[in-house]
Amino acid sequence: MSQLDVFRLDGRVAMVAGGGGAIGSAIAAALAGAGARVTVVDQTDERAEAAAGAIRAAGAEVLALGADVTDDAGCERVVAATLERFGRLDIHVNAVGGGAGKVLFDAEAYPRDAWDWIYELNVRSTLCATQAAARAMIAGGRGGRVLNISSVRANLGINAGYSAYVAAKGAISSLTRQWATEWAKHGITVNAIAPTFVDTPQVAMLLDDPVFKAGLVSRIPLGRVGGTSDLTGAAIFLCSDASSFVTGQILGIDGGLTATQ
Ligand SMILES: NC(=O)c1ccc[n+]([C@@H]2O[C@H](COP(=O)([O-])OP(=O)(O)OC[C@H]3O[C@@H](n4cnc5c(N)ncnc54)[C@H](O)[C@@H]3O)[C@@H](O)[C@H]2O)c1
C-alpha cells in the first residue's frame, strides 16, 4: 500500500453543487480523477452535462443533473437521484456562489435586493444542498466529507462595494465550523477552502483591468493570481481519508495574501 492511497477516492461518491461552474467543474474532475463517482449539479441539465461530459470522456462514472439548489425540493431530488444511481453519498461540495462583481454598492446604501440575491446565491444554496446531503450521509452511517467554498473576503474587507459578499462568505466560514461541530458525531468532516481571486469568468472583468490586476498581484507574496488547478489538490485532500482528523478548518488558498495582513 502506498502512502498516497489515503488521497484515493475509489468507491466513494461525490456530489458537486455548481459542478458546471469554473471552480466546481475543476473540483468535480479532480475528485473523479482520484477515483470517485460524481454527480454534477448545476442550474440546467445542459450546464451540468457540459462539465460531466468532459469527466465521462476521461473515463469516470458521472451523473449530470439540472436543479436549483436554493430550493429544498431540488436538493432532495438530486440527492435521491445520486443514491438511486450510485447507492451512496460520501462527499458533498458546495461550489455555487459568487456574484460580488455584479452588485457593487457603497456600504451605507447597500440595496436590500442585491443583499438578498448574494445571500441566496451563496448562503442559501450552501444551506439547502448541504442539509440534503448531510441527511443522506447520516442515514448512510458511513460518515462523509463536506467542502464549502469561502473566500479570503470572509476575513478581509475590500474597498470596492462588497458588503453583501463579505458577509455571505463570513456566514459560510461560520457554518463550516458549526456543521463540523454538530456532525462530528456522525463522522462527517466539514471544511472550506478560501481563495483570493481565481482566474475565472466571474472575475474576468476585474482581472482584465491591468491596474486592478497589478495592485492585486503586488499584494500576493507568490506574485500571481491563482487558477482553478491551484484549488484541486486541497479539495482532494479535504474530501479524502488524508484529512481524517481535520474538521472545521478554513484553508486559505491565496498565494500568501492573508499571511501579510
Ligand atoms: N472565482 C473567484 O475568483 C473566486 C474566489 C473566491 C471564492 N470563489 C467562490 O467559488 C465559488 C465558485 O465560483 P466560480 O468562479 O466557479 O463561479 P461560477 O459562476 O463559474 O460557478 C458557479 C456555478 O453555480 C451555478 N449556480 C448558480 N446558482 C445556482 C443554483 N441556484 N442552483 C444550481 N447551480 C447554480 C452556476 O450556473 C455556475 O455554474 C463561489 O462560491 C465563489 O464565491 C470564487
Side-chain angles (χ1 to χ4, degrees):
M1 187 173 154
S2 151
Q3 286 295 321
L4 290 177
D5 287 349
V6 292
F7 293 93
R8 293 291 312 174
L9 298 173
D10 307 282
R12 308 279 164 86
V13 174
M15 180 166 87
V16 182
I23 292 174
S25 61
I27 291 178
L31 300 182
R37 291 169 288 167
V38 179
T39 298
V40 171
V41 181
D42 212 285
Q43 290 183 84
T44 61
D45 290 341
E46 294 70 28
R47 214 170 150 76
E49 183 50 41
I55 296 172
R56 199 175 294 119
E61 251 190 280
V62 58
L63 177 63
L65 297 171
D68 175 1
V69 299
T70 63
D71 170 53
D72 288 316
C75 293
E76 286 297 333
R77 182 170 58 77
V78 293
V79 168
T82 299
L83 294 177
E84 191 182 321
R85 169 74 177 268
F86 297 129
R88 57 193 285 166
L89 179 63
D90 305 282
I91 297 161
H92 173 63
V93 180
N94 290 301
V96 171
K102 291 189 180 151
V103 281
L104 302 173
F105 298 101
D106 292 339
E108 65 276 18
Y110 205 94
R112 298 294 172 266
D113 56 347
W115 181 279
D116 290 345
W117 178 68
I118 287 286
Y119 258 69
E120 182 105 349
L121 179 62
N122 288 274
V123 184
R124 188 183 165 103
S125 66
T126 297
L127 175 67
C128 294
T130 307
Q131 283 183 321
R135 284 194 291 268
M137 289 178 194
I138 292 168
R142 285 181 291 265
R145 297 276 182 271
V146 174
L147 179 64
N148 293 328
I149 307 188
S150 185
S151 163
V152 296
R153 296 298 149 216
N155 291 324
L156 303 178
I158 179 169
N159 193 10
Y162 263 55
S163 291
Y165 186 75
V166 299
K169 290 303 183 185
I172 300 287
S173 291
S174 293
L175 278 172
T176 301
R177 290 183 283 264
Q178 179 64 22
W179 288 338
T181 306
E182 285 198 38
W183 294 335
K185 60 180 174 288
H186 299 296
I188 299 171
T189 68
V190 185
N191 292 288
I193 53 173
T196 182
F197 286 93
V198 182
D199 195 357
T200 58
Q202 277 233 14
V203 296
M205 232 174 66
L206 286 168
L207 295 182
D208 283 348
D209 174 348
V211 177
F212 179 89
K213 187 169 178 182
L216 176 68
V217 168
S218 73
R219 295 191 299 277
I220 298 176
L222 287 177
R224 64 175 176 85
V225 171
T228 55
S229 62
D230 289 307
L231 311 181
T232 50
I236 292 172
F237 168 63
L238 292 170
C239 291
S240 68
D241 289 345
S243 61
S244 294
F245 204 48
V246 179
T247 197
Q249 301 304 304
I250 319 294
L251 178 61
I253 304 183
D254 59 13
L257 172 68
T258 48
T260 68
Q261 306 297 304

